[in-house]
Amino acid sequence: MAYICFSCKAEVGEEYTRIRVRCPYCGNKLLLKTRSDSVTVKAR
Ligand SMILES: [Zn+2]
């Protein structure tokens, strides 16, 4: 189960979401779950 950073689109491991949800690459706090229909994706 991984997440995608909403800002830089990097794949963020679940371990980064346990303590606090933050992208380790850019510091963005908004991550998208990669699982099925709960994912919000803006096309292109
Ligand atoms: Zn990021």
Side-chain angles (χ1 to χ4, degrees):
M1 177 76 199
Y3 295 81
I4 299 295
C5 174
F6 190 80
S7 179
C8 71
K9 304 298 187 296
E11 187 170 312
V12 180
E14 187 181 12
E15 65 270 22
Y16 290 103
T17 67
R18 293 184 186 278
I19 301 174
R20 71 182 54 156
V21 178
R22 176 175 288 187
C23 174
Y25 304 103
C26 71
N28 181 45
K29 295 179 182 175
L30 184 56
L31 302 180
L32 303 176
K33 292 181 181 179
T34 57
R35 181 193 296 176
S36 69
D37 32 60
S38 63
V39 179
T40 304
V41 177
K42 183 175 291 185
R44 298 178 225 278

